[in-house]
Structure formats: C-alpha cells, structure tokens
Amino acid sequence: MDPDPQRRFPQKKKRPKGHASLLHAADVFRIITERVSVNGPTRVSLRGRALSGPDAVKAVCDAVLELGRQGSWIGNNQTRISPTTTLNLASGNICPAGLEHLVNLLLDKRCQLKELNLVDNPKLGVHLRDVQDTPPAHTVTHADDDTVVDGNGCEILARAIRSNSCTLTQLNLGGCGITCKGAGALANALAGFEDGVGDAVGDAGDNDRLNTHRRTTVGSPNLEHLNLRSNDVGYAGVCELATACAKHSVVREVSLGNNAMVTDTARRELHDVLSRNRKRALLTELGAACEESGEKSISLRRRRLSDADAATIAGAIRPGGCADCLVSLDVSENDFTSVGIDTLAHAVRGVTGNMSLASVSVVGNPGAHFDGKKCGSDSQTASDRNASNFKNDSCDTKKSKVNFTTAAQKLLGVVAANFLLHSGTGEALKSIADRGLGCAGAREVAGVVSATTAFARDDRSWAFVVTAIGTQHNEIGYEGCAAIANAFAMLPNLVEWACYANPIGANGASSIARSISAPGAFLKLKSLDIGGSNIGDSGCCAISFAIVGHAALQELHLDHNDIGNTGGSALVRSMERTADSNRGAPTRNAGLRRVWLHGNPRVPDVLIGRVHELANRTATKDDLEAQTRGGTCGGTSGFELQSELESVVTKNSVDAFVYERAERHARFCFDGNKQSRDLHRSVDTSSFFADRVAANAICTYVYRLPDHVETTRGNAVVAAIVAHSTGRGGDCDAPGAGDYLRTIALGVGTKFMPNAVAIAASAGTANRYEHVVHDSHAEVLARRALLRYLNREMRELVLEHTTHVSNSNNQGCPTAAPDLVISSMGKQSETETETFRETQTETFRVLTLAGDGSGFRLKPGTSLHLYVSTAPCGAASATKETFTFAEGAVDLRSNDSSNDTVRNLAPKGVTFGVSSVSRDTAPMRHDGVTHGHKTNTQNRQPRDVSEYDLDDVSYTESFADVDERHERGVYACGGSRNAKAMTKGAMPVQSRETAPAPGCVPLKNLASAFGTPGLTLSCSDKISRWQVLGAQGAALSVLIQNPIAFSSLVVGRKFDGDSLRRGTCCRTAGFPHAVFKLSKPKHLSVLKTNVKVGAIGGDTNDDAASTDSGAGFTMNSNSRPFQKTTTGKNRAGFIADQSRAGAGDSDESLTWCHGETVCTRHDGRTGMSVGGGGPTPVVARAWQFADFQKTLGALRGKREVLDLRVDDKLFSVKNARDAKALAVTYAAGKHAMLKARVPPTSAIVGWRGSS
C-alpha cells in the first residue's frame, strides 16, 4: 500500500461543490437570516459551508427553530411551528456530536423538516481520520497503518427515524461512507421492534388496518425516499433494507447507485419490495382522495410514475375500485408512455369504464407528446395568427402549442365525454374547451354522444337536457369536426355550439354544413361559432348555403377565417334569400340577427355593411315584436335581476372573516419576500400596504366567487376596488392597528367586444347598442360594480336621513335608521324590510351627505384603492422605451427665460404654473441619468429611487405629496410614442409597425375615442380619465360633485413602476385645472404586491398560507361561514395549451359589489348574457342608467340632500345622453382634458395626440 496518506485515488466520488471558509457558531444566525431574506424561510441551505464543530451545528438547529416566529401556532400553548421544510448541509463537515443536535432538532415538536441533505459528510460513516478532508475509507487507497474510524452516524440517526414523530420524507446520505453496518442500523430503525407485519401486500380492503398498525409499530411514518448513493453498502445491507422496507411499507425509493458491493440480485429483491410499497401507497392515496369527505381530486404530478403505476391507477378508478368516484386526476410530468396512457383510457372508456372522471392532465409525459403534424388539420395561414390574437385575447407573444399523441387525445376525449354527461344543460364557456382533444379525442366524444342519443328513452336523458356545448381551442381538424358535427346534430335541444379556434379548415366547415342541412338536425341551434378556424371562401360558401331559411339560427361567428369576396357574397345571398322567404310569414322571422365577420380583411367593406344591414333589419323586427308583446328592446327578456343582498349582520361578519385572513396572509407574504436590503428598514412601507390591499381583494375573490376559482382555466385576471378607512381612532402610522380595509367591488374578465361588432350594434337601434357590454376587462367591470354600489349606498343614505328626520319629530322613536337593502330595480321586498328592522350594528359607508344640499361626497378618512392582478392594458404595460424630450421641445421644469414663449400661449390673465425645480435637479431615471441633460447625480436623485421603486416609501409618506414625488422622479414626455392614447384591438395585418403595447392600437388623438362606436379606450387611458374627471362618471357627477379618484394602484404581475406611472396619472400633467376652477388631477401611488392570484387552491391550511410566499393565495374554504363549503382547484394545470395559460381565464366575465350574495355573469365576447339572448346584463349601460333613475327617484323632493326642484330636468331624463348633458362640471373637465390650451411639452399633449 502507498505509505503516503496524502496520496489518494478517488473512485467515482462526486466532487463537493461550493467549498468556503469555516462557518463558526457566532456567524450562523446572521448567514441564515441573510439567505432566508432572499430565498424565504422554507428552504435553508448551507451547502458547501463547512461547520466549525458541534456548536455550529447546534447554532443551525437553533436558527431553524427561531424562524418559527413566521410559522403557524401549535394548539393553544403559544408555540410556533418552524416554516423550514428543507435543510441542506451537504459538505458541512458534520461530525457525530453535531449529528446528535440534528437528531434533537428532528424530534422537536416545532420542527417540520421534510427533507434533510447530508451528502458528503464522511465523518458520519467509515472514514480516514488522519487524512485531509477525512474521505470515506472505501474511496481511497490507504496504508495499513492509517486510522479508519466509524462515526456511527446511522446509529445516531436511527433514534430519530425510529420515532413516530419524525416528519422527514427524504433523507440524503450519499457519500457518507456508510457500510452494511450503517445500512442495518437504518433498517432496524425503520422496522421497529414488531415482527408481526409481513412483507406481503394485501388487498385494498386491508389498507386502513395495515396503515394504522404500521404507524403504531414501526419507525418514521413519513419517510419515503432514502439516498445511499456512493457508499460502501453490500449484499447484506441491501437484504436488511429490503426486509425493513417490507415492514415499513412507506419507503418507496432507495438509491444505491455507485455502491460497488451491491449485486444485481440484491437490487432486484429490493426493487420488488419497493414496487409493492409504491403500489400500496398509491392505492392508499387514491382511496383517501375518494373518501366521503374528500375532494374526489388528486394530484400525482412529478412522482416519476411508470406504466406499471398507470396500471395501478387504472385498476383503482375502474368501477368497484378504491377510486371509482374520482373526479379530477393530475398525472402530468411523469414517465408514462403511450402504453400507460392507453391503459388509463381503457379504464374510463365504455359502459364498463369509469363514469365520474371529468378532468385529467397528462402534460409532460413522454407518451403524451410528439413533434409531428396534427392529423386532419388544414394548413395554417396568416389569418390564423390574427385569429389567435382575438380569440385568445392575449397580451403575450404567441408561443408554441402542445402536440398531443393519439393515445393522449383518446384519454382526454373519453374524460371530456364524462364531463359532458355530467354537465346538465351545459354552458359553452365552461364546457370541454382547452383540453387538447385533437381529432382522436373528438371522435371519442362523438362516439359517446351518439350512443347516448341513440339509447335515450325519455326527457330525463342527458341528450334531451343539454343546450350548450363548447369545443373551442382543442386543435380539432376536419376529421374530428365531421365526427362531432354528426353527433351534435342529433341532440334535440342544442341551442349553442362554440367551435372556434380549431384548424377545421374548409373541409371541416363543409362537414358542419352537411350536418345542418340533414333532415331533423340542429333543429334548435341558435348560435354557431367557428371563428378563427381557417375555413376560407369555400367553407363560408358551404355554411351560407346550408343556413338558408334555418328556422332557429340567429347568431353566426365567421371572424378571422381568411374569407374573401366570394365567401362574403355567398353569405349576403344566403341572408337575402332567407329574408325573402320571411315575407308574409305569420310566424317568427327566420334569419341571422348577429354576424361576426371582422378579421377578414379581404371581404370588401360594402359586403360587410350589407351583412350587418340585413342582420339589423331582422333584429329590429324582433324588437318591435317584443315591444308589441310587452317585452323590451334589444332582443332581450328584460333587465337582469340584481343579486339578493345580505343583511348588515352577515356583511359585517363576512368582512371581519375576510379581513382577518387577509391581514395574516399579507404579513406572511411581506415578511417572506423581504430582501437583504430591506433589513435596515424598521418601519412598514407602502409595499406592506400594497400586500394588504391585494390580500383583501384576493381573499374576497376566493370567498365571493368560489365557482370561478374552481373552474377557471389559466390565470384569472382580477380587479378590485378596496376602501381604506382610517377614521377608527387608531394609529395610522402602523397599518392594521386602527385602519380598516374592505373590498367593495370586484371584476373578473379579459374580453372586449370587437370594433366591427360594436359598430354593427350601433348601426341598429340605440337601445340595442346600450343593452350590450362593450368592454369586459377586469378594471372596467370593477368600476361598473363600484357605480352599482354607490347608487345603492346613496339610496340607503337618503332613506336613513328621511327616517332620522321623521323620528326626530316623533318623541319616543329612535333618531337614526339602520341600513336598508334595496332589491333589484328598486322594489323593496318583505325580506329587505325585515333586514332593515333587524339590523342594529354599524353600517359600513363610503359616502356621506354633503350637508349643504349638494348631494354626496366621499366620507372623511376614506380612500379608494384599485387592485389589478396584472398591469392594465395600454401605456401602463407598454414595452420599454426611453422617454426623452421631443426635438425642439421646451422643458417646463427649468426656470430658463426661454419658457416665456410657453407662458404666452396661455389665455389672457392666466399664468401656467412652472416648477421651481432648477435645471440641475431635472428628473432622473432610476439608473441615475437625467432626461435630456448630463448632470451630477450626487445629492440630486430622488430619495430611495436608486434602491427602491419611486412609490416604495414609508407608510406615512405613501399618500402625502404624491404629485411632488412623481414630478421629481417621473417625466412623461409629449413626444413619446407610448404616451399616446390607445384602443383595445390587434394591429392590422398589413401594418409594419409593432403594437405600442400588447393587445392595443395607437389612436391618432384621444378625442376621437369619445362617442365613436368601435373604439374602446385601453384600461390605462380609462384610469387616467378617472383620475382627472372622477370614477363616478358623468351621470353620478351631478350627485357626487367632487371627483372620486383612486389613491393607489396596486399591481401583481408585469409590474413596471415607471410605465405604470407614465401610463396613468403622470400623463395628465399640464391639465389646466386652475383655469377652469376644477379639482387638480390626483396622482396615485403605484405599488407592487407580492400577493399573487397565480395558482389558487382551496385545500391549503390558511395559517400556513403558502409554502412559497407570494406564489399564490390560498384560503381554507372549510371555515367559510354562511355559505356552502366549496373547494377551489388550480385549473391552470388542466389547460392543454399552456401558452394560453397567461392569457387570462375563459370568455366568462363576472362582477360583484359589496353586500351582494352572489356575483353576476355575462359573456365577455358578445357582451350579452351567457348563452346569448337573455336579459340585459347588470353592467350594461342600459342597466346602469335604470339604476341611476332609481337613485333619482329616491332623491326627488329631498331638497335638504339635493337642492333641486321636483320638476327639474334631471328627474325627467329619458336616457344616459340627456343625463350627461346636465353634468356641467364634468363636461367642463372633459373639455379641458381634450381641447384646452396647455404648454406644448406637457405630458397631456402627448396623451391627446395630434388634432
């Protein structure tokens, strides 16, 4: 042997990474605190940091327990659970004495470690004591006189593993010099002292008994993975491990790679035992998910499951299996091949298969994807890209789509068929869209539907019940389209079929046309949507000829289909022939009422105009017939009823419930996301306030809209208006110690009515245009909900005032009236009267009486804050751009005498205010460079700008002098392209310019968007307008004269403080408020939040909130009072095309305002009620005006509240246009915003655009 102990020959020993200097006990807490501030408390890693000795290891254990200050409570003994779940001490120089401290940590009830990594700590096993780095003895060639020492680390660890209180699930002991002796010690600890449990796997019925017996007789009940790679374990050690694993039954994986002494026979014996354990554990987990109180949902994502495991799952979900009632299954990112996926499909298919499984995800499995061409799909053209821009309504660049194999498509198809059979009447927006069915999956769905229809015996069958189906975004080709068209044609009561954004091509459209033309097919079909499907002229011609004289079809979507003159002409001829056939018909007219033909640039404008003219003619006849029958205009059946309202007791109880959980989650996210630079900031900042606002909004969303949380696909886009009250006598310098937050309005949605469709609607009757919702983006819906809330609150205040005056004149009666709940459309029900009488608690208010006959005003101490889960569309989410002065522009911020030319532009007797900031203090970017000049940055840069966002200041400064702070740090130049106003939509195909912001088109001038149908301002522009004129709008400005503006804008995803400020409040700089004696536009603090909607779940313990702070908000739905228990699921994982996950949720749009029991819904694409037709949505202009009329009715004759005569014009207005005309102050502000003379370099000039 080599006599030199320093000479070593490594044998496949992994080289330690990240070696650094020794870490002493005195420095441990500081190092861990710094790393936790960056990475969060759940994972503590000191990989590569050699600990100086046992004291340093003990310091690590103490620091982990000290992190429990951010954890959850244990019972009522005021003990906190440590949030750390992973501890990495690889290459940490751990010795046996130090390991004793780690064992004590594992046995501490405050410890919740799941993974312990001790790789490359050779002192725990057999090692060379006197050789440098003390390598494992088996890895080096050493002399006979070298001292070989066994650290007995496994015997020490056995004390923790033997305990039932050990929470470890993974233990990594690779490269620790473990021999058969050490492996035997681990095996004995796992097996415990009970020999009665054998290694045979019983049937599923014995699982509960065996599981209970194991937990009371063997070791750590949670240990699943044991890593013994690169050690010196031999045959005997493996045999002992196999025996122990058979008794323990929870261990599923033992890694023995790079153990030269392990034979293949021993590996096979251990593999067989572990396979039985995996099967047993999988069956137990599946059975637990299907317990009576369970969710009937399970996620097996990233479990490294094989085809054998797929067979186990298939057996469990078959009828009679332990999981035969499973509803949702996630097996994404495993190792299933097409064989395993086929096995699952066979378990679901047919009358002998599973009938309950309605959702499955196989994304990321080798057998689920391929890179070839999809079957039965026509070639894509340039129009398909346009179709994606509209139909997805995405603000992101287009990404590659998922190509599923035939096996995966079949599995998705049989599961989708199960969903349909349990969907009742169905709904196109919540049907089997976004599942990646392809042609094979479509054929599976068609087979089930055809069989169900053929064997339907009475009206109770699903075939007679279903009225709407959606198969959009499924990559269905013409073969699959033909199959489902033939199947759906036989459904007797099918009213709506959405099949848009599928590459069916002309052949697919022809197959649909043949099904429509077949006798007895699609008898009641009213709406057909095949937009974005590349059907071309031939497909349009086929559809046009098939629908001639169709008695039911009223709505046809052919948008973004590469249709040209030939197809457009065929559609016109079809509509004309149908109109001719209606002449003299005594019954209801046949023919299309709504046609979507936009996105087909080759169709001449003359033909498009003719199509809309014929459609409006038919729709107008329907309006006249409806009026004759006593109905309403717009093809509707009246106004949608407002949601029932809660009693004040219920409202206050729910608000307190939401507030408590939101505050706790906000604190958790704020503390968990602190960076190392924040450690010196001892006060709560505006970032914490932002987290509080976001947490309150999201908690309200999870509580109030549970069904949407469950079923949404992709990332939901949520907007909320949160009221902040500081009038409770508390210390406002300490957020949460006296102030109060309450969400009063919610909006969820990503859609807007296409320009061409809006123009077509305006070409009909005015009532038809007012009865649809043109913009269903979340911010707009939240503001509409706010108007609904303000109207109701004003009516309640009037009633309270009237009751108070009446009672003050009648001694013995109370002098104040409680809250009154007004029912939908102004009718007071008996329930509301009872609620009025029973309420004896404080009623939350945003408004108060102005007290001088001038109506209402915002309550003192109350401010409104706008939360948006993602940056608003438009300038606020514009691409990065350097904002510089336009050539020849004048810097209004300097005191140079050249500005006299600007002052001369002002009207006579008016002087524009010029900042007193000198040229040396010109505004700067966050990189310390001034705009337009070079200057010394020392002592001139705005405070905190270099290190923090401009509005990230202490809480006491958050809403004080915001305009001054923005003037120092922001400059929105009129010459900037991104400063211009924008409308929602896609850039023309022929345009060579890129969109200034995702999903937006630049406007030539701002004024052109007002009163012009088809031009929908971006949300950034609308927020800017609200900050100038008030969010209450023109009509309500007569009743609430002071503009209601937001104090802050809290944004989750896509946060860019500079763009958000320049795109909202700072673009109004230069507004001549003094000239017109108007209120100065309010600057809002732009704040980033760490609380994200993201992946939303409902089964997480709400005390722990989230293992990854800021990754998503969760709420324990089991503790929700007053409502039925509902559990939310993360639907983002079940959307087939992950490139669309960030595009927002489905076409469904929702609103809710404070006090309502349920939310209201409408179709964001069409702007009408879900399913088409139906009543006027709550957020439509016509409904809003009717609500405003109720408020006027309550105010009439109450001159002490609103000093107007009963015969004033305001009380007799017939439409919204007349009401706006009476808003004189609002009109003056609008004129000043659009046309008043302002300095040419003001930011508002860039916003206005060219005249």
Side-chain angles (χ1 to χ4, degrees):
M1 307 298 281
D2 194 324
D4 183 7
Q6 299 299 323
R7 185 177 178 186
R8 301 183 297 276
F9 303 93
Q11 299 176 1
K12 300 182 181 180
K13 181 176 181 295
K14 184 169 64 175
R15 190 175 184 179
K17 299 180 180 178
H19 271 297
S21 59
L22 283 177
L23 184 59
H24 297 277
D27 300 324
V28 166
F29 187 77
R30 175 179 58 82
I31 296 297
I32 290 181
T33 302
E34 291 177 354
R35 297 194 176 190
V36 165
S37 67
V38 176
N39 303 318
T42 58
R43 186 176 188 273
V44 175
S45 176
L46 293 175
R47 181 182 179 88
R49 295 303 303 267
L51 301 175
S52 61
D55 291 343
V57 179
K58 185 177 186 303
V60 171
C61 298
D62 293 340
V64 169
L65 294 177
E66 184 67 17
L67 295 176
R69 291 181 300 173
Q70 301 181 32
S72 306
W73 295 106
I74 301 178
N76 298 320
N77 57 1
Q78 303 299 306
T79 303
R80 288 279 195 175
I81 295 177
S82 172
T84 304
T85 58
T86 300
L87 179 59
N88 188 347
L89 297 178
S91 304
N93 193 34
I94 308 296
C95 63
L99 188 60
E100 291 282 359
H101 295 301
L102 284 174
V103 170
N104 293 334
L105 172 67
L106 293 174
L107 296 177
D108 194 302
K109 62 181 179 181
R110 294 170 293 173
C111 175
Q112 293 294 309
L113 281 182
K114 303 297 183 184
E115 180 179 356
L116 178 61
N117 187 355
L118 296 176
V119 170
D120 294 331
N121 283 283
K123 290 183 180 180
L124 302 181
V126 179
H127 63 280
L128 299 178
R129 186 183 63 185
D130 299 329
V131 179
Q132 184 180 358
D133 291 336
T134 61
H138 73 282
T139 64
V140 298
T141 302
H142 56 277
D144 294 336
D145 57 349
D146 286 337
T147 304
V148 179
V149 178
D150 187 355
N152 296 319
C154 292
E155 286 82 351
I156 298 173
L157 276 172
R159 183 161 62 92
I161 296 176
R162 191 175 293 113
S163 172
N164 285 341
S165 62
C166 181
T167 59
L168 279 182
T169 60
Q170 298 184 46
L171 177 60
N172 194 339
L173 294 173
C176 289
I178 297 175
T179 62
C180 289
K181 176 185 175 184
L186 295 175
N188 290 333
L190 288 172
F193 304 100
E194 177 68 28
D195 296 327
V197 181
D199 58 356
V201 178
D203 57 15
D206 296 332
N207 284 338
D208 293 338
R209 177 187 59 79
L210 185 60
N211 188 53
T212 303
H213 183 60
R214 174 185 58 77
R215 288 180 181 271
T216 58
T217 58
V218 300
S220 174
N222 304 297
L223 190 63
E224 299 175 355
H225 305 281
L226 180 62
N227 183 2
L228 297 177
R229 293 177 61 87
S230 301
N231 283 298
D232 195 25
V233 181
Y235 179 81
V238 175
C239 289
E240 289 188 72
L241 285 172
T243 303
C245 290
K247 290 185 177 182
H248 190 268
S249 77
V250 172
V251 179
R252 307 174 190 178
E253 181 178 353
V254 178
S255 299
L256 290 170
N258 201 19
N259 281 272
M261 303 298 293
V262 178
T263 64
D264 292 340
T265 301
R267 292 181 189 275
R268 283 195 295 271
E269 291 179 3
L270 181 60
H271 178 269
D272 292 342
V273 172
L274 296 178
S275 296
R276 292 195 294 270
N277 284 355
R278 282 195 296 270
K279 180 177 181 180
R280 184 196 300 266
L282 192 56
L283 290 173
T284 301
E285 192 171 359
L286 288 166
C290 293
E291 291 178 355
E292 185 176 351
S293 59
E295 302 176 15
K296 309 296 189 294
S297 173
I298 189 172
S299 175
L300 301 174
R301 183 170 177 254
R302 291 182 180 176
R303 295 287 190 88
R304 289 180 284 186
L305 302 179
S306 63
D307 288 342
D309 298 314
T312 301
I313 297 173
I317 64 177
R318 287 184 183 276
C322 63
D324 57 354
C325 59
L326 195 67
V327 174
S328 177
L329 174 65
D330 183 359
V331 290
S332 57
E333 300 183 51
N334 283 295
D335 297 326
F336 292 165
T337 66
S338 58
V339 175
I341 295 176
D342 272 332
T343 302
L344 291 176
H346 283 301
V348 181
R349 183 183 294 115
V351 294
T352 60
N354 180 286
M355 299 294 291
S356 64
L357 190 62
S359 178
V360 67
S361 175
V362 293
V363 174
N365 285 280
H369 306 289
F370 71 103
D371 297 325
K373 185 178 179 181
K374 305 173 187 62
C375 68
S377 62
D378 290 349
S379 60
Q380 301 287 311
T381 66
S383 67
D384 297 313
R385 292 190 291 273
N386 293 336
S388 295
N389 285 337
F390 166 67
K391 287 294 178 181
N392 291 348
D393 198 22
S394 174
C395 293
D396 299 325
T397 56
K398 189 175 181 181
K399 303 177 183 178
S400 59
K401 294 185 177 181
V402 177
N403 295 341
F404 282 112
T405 60
T406 301
Q409 291 177 359
K410 289 180 178 180
L411 173 61
L412 296 170
V414 295
V415 172
N418 274 352
F419 179 88
L420 280 181
L421 296 180
H422 292 87
S423 62
T425 59
E427 186 176 306
L429 301 185
K430 290 185 177 180
S431 193
I432 54 175
D434 285 308
R435 289 177 178 252
L437 299 180
C439 291
R443 286 193 289 267
E444 292 284 351
V445 172
V448 174
V449 172
S450 298
T452 304
T453 306
F455 291 99
R457 297 182 177 275
D458 52 42
D459 293 347
R460 293 174 296 178
S461 170
W462 171 84
F464 287 92
V465 173
V466 65
T467 60
I469 298 177
T471 57
Q472 61 270 27
H473 290 293
N474 267 311
E475 293 298 306
I476 299 175
Y478 61 85
E479 295 175 357
C481 180
I484 57 177
N486 291 333
F488 292 171
M490 296 298 104
L491 295 174
N493 295 313
L494 187 64
V495 173
E496 180 183 10
W497 179 23
C499 192
Y500 58 84
N502 285 298
I504 63 175
N507 293 332
S510 299
S511 64
I512 294 176
R514 287 193 295 271
S515 297
I516 293 176
S517 302
F522 289 120
L523 294 178
K524 296 185 179 181
L525 186 66
K526 291 184 178 181
S527 176
L528 174 62
D529 188 346
I530 52 174
S533 300
N534 192 34
I535 67 174
D537 282 334
S538 57
C540 182
C541 291
I543 293 293
S544 300
F545 296 149
I547 64 174
V548 173
H550 196 285
L553 193 63
Q554 299 180 11
E555 186 170 335
L556 179 63
H557 295 240
L558 298 174
D559 51 294
H560 299 89
N561 264 313
D562 198 27
I563 299 173
N565 184 39
T566 303
S569 300
L571 181 60
V572 169
R573 289 194 297 271
S574 171
M575 297 176 70
E576 289 176 341
R577 290 173 58 187
T578 302
D580 291 340
S581 65
N582 287 332
R583 293 177 181 175
T587 59
R588 184 177 177 85
N589 296 312
L592 297 173
R593 277 77 165 168
R594 291 163 62 89
V595 180
W596 287 35
L597 202 58
H598 61 281
N600 295 289
R602 297 193 297 114
V603 179
D605 293 339
V606 175
L607 289 180
I608 293 178
R610 180 59 176 165
V611 167
H612 291 315
E613 178 186 352
L614 292 169
N616 285 328
R617 184 183 301 173
T618 305
T620 302
K621 291 181 180 179
D622 285 346
D623 290 344
L624 295 175
E625 291 179 4
Q627 291 180 1
T628 302
R629 294 191 302 267
T632 60
C633 300
T636 68
S637 57
F639 287 106
E640 180 181 0
L641 296 178
Q642 184 178 344
S643 166
E644 293 184 2
L645 303 178
E646 297 171 327
S647 67
V648 179
V649 174
T650 302
K651 284 190 294 185
N652 290 342
S653 299
V654 172
D655 288 342
F657 172 82
V658 170
Y659 178 79
E660 176 188 356
R661 280 147 183 78
E663 291 293 300
R664 185 161 59 228
H665 187 76
R667 174 58 72 180
F668 181 87
C669 287
F670 180 72
D671 292 340
N673 284 274
K674 277 188 176 181
Q675 305 296 319
S676 57
R677 68 185 185 188
D678 297 320
L679 297 179
H680 70 278
R681 306 179 87 182
S682 59
V683 298
D684 287 324
T685 66
S686 58
S687 295
F688 177 50
F689 181 80
D691 288 345
R692 294 179 62 211
V693 170
N696 197 283
I698 298 173
C699 189
T700 304
Y701 162 68
V702 172
Y703 182 88
R704 293 293 184 179
L705 281 65
D707 293 337
H708 189 266
V709 175
E710 273 194 53
T711 60
T712 184
R713 300 182 178 95
N715 295 321
V717 179
V718 180
I721 298 173
V722 181
H724 179 224
S725 176
T726 58
R728 290 176 170 264
D731 182 6
C732 297
D733 294 341
D739 59 347
Y740 198 79
L741 292 171
R742 195 180 307 230
T743 300
I744 59 174
L746 273 176
V748 181
T750 61
K751 305 301 178 187
F752 65 94
M753 183 178 290
N755 297 349
V757 179
I759 294 173
S762 66
T765 61
N767 281 325
R768 176 170 295 277
Y769 184 73
E770 298 291 333
H771 281 256
V772 294
V773 185
H774 307 121
D775 190 351
S776 296
H777 276 212
E779 299 92 326
V780 178
L781 296 180
R783 186 252 180 179
R784 291 285 179 94
L786 173 66
L787 298 184
R788 193 161 72 246
Y789 175 78
L790 294 178
N791 270 299
R792 189 177 75 237
E793 189 167 285
M794 285 188 287
R795 293 193 292 267
E796 293 170 357
L797 285 170
V798 171
L799 181 61
E800 286 184 7
H801 176 77
T802 305
T803 307
H804 172 72
V805 172
S806 175
N807 290 340
S808 63
N809 295 327
N810 184 7
Q811 296 182 359
C813 294
T815 58
D819 185 48
L820 175 66
V821 181
I822 305 296
S823 65
S824 59
M825 305 317 295
K827 298 178 181 179
Q828 184 175 341
S829 64
E830 295 180 1
T831 303
E832 292 166 347
T833 305
E834 183 64 26
T835 299
F836 174 79
R837 291 174 179 172
E838 73 179 8
T839 301
Q840 297 180 356
T841 59
E842 179 184 0
T843 301
F844 175 77
R845 293 278 185 247
V846 168
L847 299 177
T848 186
L849 298 180
D852 54 358
S854 58
F856 307 86
R857 61 185 174 89
L858 204 62
K859 194 174 182 179
T862 300
S863 57
L864 301 183
H865 304 264
L866 177 61
Y867 163 77
V868 190
S869 61
T870 189
C873 65
S877 56
T879 54
K880 282 287 188 181
E881 175 182 315
T882 301
F883 287 80
T884 57
F885 290 106
E887 184 177 357
V890 180
D891 181 8
L892 290 182
R893 300 177 181 278
S894 70
N895 286 326
D896 194 282
S897 59
S898 61
N899 284 341
D900 291 339
T901 56
V902 179
R903 295 187 181 93
N904 292 335
L905 298 175
K908 185 176 181 180
V910 177
T911 302
F912 286 101
V914 180
S915 175
S916 60
V917 180
S918 65
R919 181 180 295 274
D920 289 339
T921 57
M924 303 178 186
R925 293 175 62 86
H926 289 196
D927 53 10
V929 180
T930 59
H931 302 290
H933 324 289
K934 291 183 178 180
T935 184
N936 181 12
T937 62
Q938 193 174 20
N939 297 328
R940 297 194 180 105
Q941 191 166 357
R943 182 177 50 189
D944 283 350
V945 169
S946 61
E947 191 174 3
Y948 306 103
D949 184 74
L950 184 65
D951 285 323
D952 186 7
V953 295
S954 67
Y955 177 72
T956 54
E957 301 176 82
S958 298
F959 310 112
D961 302 323
V962 181
D963 52 348
E964 295 181 7
R965 184 166 69 238
H966 286 188
E967 286 176 5
R968 294 196 309 268
V970 179
Y971 184 64
C973 175
S976 170
R977 177 171 177 256
N978 287 351
K980 295 181 180 179
M982 306 179 195
T983 59
K984 298 170 183 175
M987 293 290 289
V989 178
Q990 63 274 16
S991 175
R992 296 183 179 179
E993 294 185 6
T994 58
C1000 290
V1001 179
L1003 265 177
K1004 183 179 180 181
N1005 59 76
L1006 177 63
S1008 62
F1010 288 86
T1012 304
L1015 292 182
T1016 304
L1017 279 174
S1018 70
C1019 292
S1020 298
D1021 293 291
K1022 291 186 176 182
I1023 294 173
S1024 301
R1025 185 183 68 190
W1026 298 337
Q1027 293 303 107
V1028 175
L1029 304 177
Q1032 72 268 39
L1036 286 188
S1037 67
V1038 180
L1039 309 179
I1040 309 172
Q1041 297 182 4
N1042 294 326
I1044 294 181
F1046 299 113
S1047 297
S1048 71
L1049 173 62
V1050 179
V1051 177
R1053 297 185 296 128
K1054 302 179 183 177
F1055 179 89
D1056 183 336
D1058 287 340
S1059 296
L1060 286 163
R1061 280 180 285 270
R1062 284 191 287 250
T1064 53
C1065 58
C1066 289
R1067 72 198 312 188
T1068 65
F1071 178 76
H1073 60 94
V1075 178
F1076 291 87
K1077 298 182 180 180
L1078 300 169
S1079 299
K1080 183 179 179 180
K1082 186 172 185 177
H1083 281 250
L1084 44 76
S1085 293
V1086 175
L1087 308 176
K1088 180 181 180 180
T1089 178
N1090 295 309
V1091 185
K1092 304 290 191 298
V1093 177
I1096 300 178
D1099 57 349
T1100 302
N1101 188 316
D1102 125 81
D1103 289 330
S1106 173
T1107 57
D1108 180 11
S1109 56
F1113 179 79
T1114 56
M1115 182 175 174
N1116 187 356
S1117 60
N1118 292 331
S1119 58
R1120 293 177 62 226
F1122 312 117
Q1123 289 194 13
K1124 183 179 178 180
T1125 299
T1126 307
T1127 301
K1129 304 179 182 65
N1130 177 16
R1131 295 290 300 170
F1134 290 90
I1135 184 170
D1137 184 4
Q1138 289 296 299
S1139 66
R1140 295 189 62 249
D1145 47 310
S1146 66
D1147 299 323
E1148 181 185 37
S1149 300
L1150 304 96
T1151 59
W1152 171 88
C1153 72
H1154 188 258
E1156 294 179 343
T1157 56
V1158 296
C1159 67
T1160 57
R1161 309 162 54 236
H1162 70 277
D1163 190 335
R1165 298 172 306 134
T1166 63
M1168 302 176 67
S1169 298
V1170 174
T1176 301
V1178 166
V1179 287
R1181 293 180 180 179
W1183 201 103
Q1184 297 277 330
F1185 176 70
D1187 198 32
F1188 173 67
Q1189 283 184 310
K1190 291 188 297 176
T1191 304
L1192 293 179
L1195 285 167
R1196 190 168 187 172
K1198 309 296 189 302
R1199 299 193 64 174
E1200 66 279 7
V1201 178
L1202 185 66
D1203 191 12
L1204 292 177
R1205 296 167 58 89
V1206 293
D1207 57 351
D1208 191 90
K1209 293 181 179 180
L1210 180 64
F1211 298 116
S1212 59
V1213 291
K1214 300 298 183 182
N1215 52 59
R1217 187 181 299 105
D1218 294 341
K1220 292 178 180 180
L1222 298 177
V1224 179
T1225 304
Y1226 188 93
K1230 183 177 178 181
H1231 172 80
M1233 182 180 70
L1234 299 177
K1235 300 180 180 180
R1237 300 179 65 186
V1238 295
T1241 53
S1242 297
I1244 197 171
V1245 173
W1247 184 30
R1248 288 177 177 179
S1250 58
S1251 58

